[in-house]
């Protein structure tokens, strides 16, 4: 017994005699699953961080574990029922009215914007103020129609927001004012 203690003491003595002051703190604790950490209390935390970094919960499988980040987040935020109803709509490829209207307005605006840009280039790229005055008659009706559709989209977004937990499924559409939208379209031209 004395020999085993003597060997143990000598190993401990060798360890501490070769370390400079502050050496253990500088080197930290090397753990095969956590890497090098500064203190014993941080080993468990470092192991958890490394586990999450390496995939963590995504690697868990089995019949009892069904991970759904969106559902978990919705439940944590207190809107689990809203998530369930939106998921049912999405799974059945049904879009809320505000989304349908927003997509329509976006498509029509992209088409009109390209037409405005082409018309401006065909006229020889006149100054912006002069072009707005000349193009007013040509684009007024279509921009007014887009403005009405934008208002209907915003109303639907408010209604859908109330149906689906207080947040609108789409961004509100900015109003369509002739001069502002023509300037917007022409600013995108190189």
């Amino acid at each position: 017994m004395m020999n085993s203690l003597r060997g143990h003491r000598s190993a401990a003595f060798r360890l501490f005699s070769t370390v400079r002051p502050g050496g253990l703190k500088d080197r930290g604790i090397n753990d095969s699953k956590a890497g090098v950490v500064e203190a014993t209390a941080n080993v468990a935390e470092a192991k958890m961080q490394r586990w999450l970094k390496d995939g963590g919960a995504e690697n868990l499988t089995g019949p009892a574990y069904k991970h759904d980040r969106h559902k978990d987040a919705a439940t944590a935020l207190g809107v689990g029922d809203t998530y369930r109803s939106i998921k049912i709509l999405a799974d059945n490829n049904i879009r809320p009215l505000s989304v349908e209207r927003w997509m329509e307005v976006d498509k029509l605006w992209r088409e009109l914007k390209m037409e405005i840009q082409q018309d401006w280039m065909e006229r020889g790229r006149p100054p912006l103020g002069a072009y707005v005055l000349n193009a007013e008659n040509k684009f007024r009706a279509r921009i007014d129609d887009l403005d009405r559709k934008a208002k209907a989209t915003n109303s639907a977004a408010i209604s859908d927001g109330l149906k689906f937990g207080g947040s609108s499924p789409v961004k509100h559409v900015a109003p369509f004012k002739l001069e502002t939208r023509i300037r917007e379209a022409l600013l995108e031209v190189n």
Side-chain angles (χ1 to χ4, degrees):
M1 173 121 179
M2 195 62 156
N3 288 338
S4 65
L5 284 177
R6 188 172 287 158
H8 181 68
R9 282 186 193 157
S10 62
F13 178 74
R14 274 183 276 149
L15 174 68
F16 289 109
S17 65
T18 58
V19 175
R20 294 182 305 251
L24 281 177
K25 185 178 180 188
D26 293 340
R27 286 191 312 186
I29 299 169
N30 189 3
D31 185 278
S32 63
K33 298 214 188 250
V36 177
V37 293
E38 292 180 11
T40 310
N42 294 338
V43 172
E45 185 66 29
K47 283 183 180 181
M48 286 188 282
Q49 286 176 354
R50 185 163 178 179
W51 179 71
L52 289 170
K53 183 177 137 193
D54 292 341
E58 294 168 8
N59 295 330
L60 297 177
T61 58
Y65 186 77
K66 290 185 171 79
H67 183 67
D68 184 351
R69 286 183 182 199
H70 299 291
K71 181 180 179 185
D72 294 345
T75 303
L77 295 171
V79 290
D81 294 334
T82 302
Y83 170 77
R84 194 174 305 114
S85 63
I86 291 172
K87 180 146 176 56
I88 290 169
L89 290 173
D91 289 348
N92 292 302
N93 202 21
I94 299 170
R95 296 184 186 117
L97 182 61
S98 60
V99 174
E100 292 286 341
R101 287 183 178 174
W102 186 88
M103 290 171 64
E104 179 187 4
V105 168
D106 186 56
K107 179 182 174 237
L108 291 172
W109 169 235
R110 278 187 279 125
E111 291 170 359
L112 181 59
K113 187 169 29 174
M114 286 177 45
E115 192 175 320
I116 291 169
Q117 291 168 351
Q118 269 185 321
D119 185 60
W120 182 68
M121 286 189 262
E122 287 171 1
R123 291 186 185 199
R125 298 179 181 231
L128 196 59
Y131 179 74
V132 170
L133 290 174
N134 291 334
E136 184 174 345
N137 293 334
K138 186 172 185 177
F139 299 114
R140 166 76 63 198
R142 290 176 63 192
I143 287 190
D144 287 345
D145 183 51
L146 275 171
D147 191 48
R148 280 190 297 281
K149 289 182 180 193
K151 288 176 183 174
T153 301
N154 292 339
S155 295
I158 292 168
S159 176
D160 287 347
L162 294 172
K163 288 178 197 169
F164 300 113
S167 62
S168 175
V170 295
K171 295 186 304 183
H172 285 270
V173 181
F176 281 83
K177 302 298 177 204
L178 181 76
E179 186 176 339
T180 307
R181 289 301 182 138
I182 288 178
R183 287 181 189 277
E184 179 185 333
L186 296 181
L187 286 175
E188 291 181 11
V189 177
N190 293 332

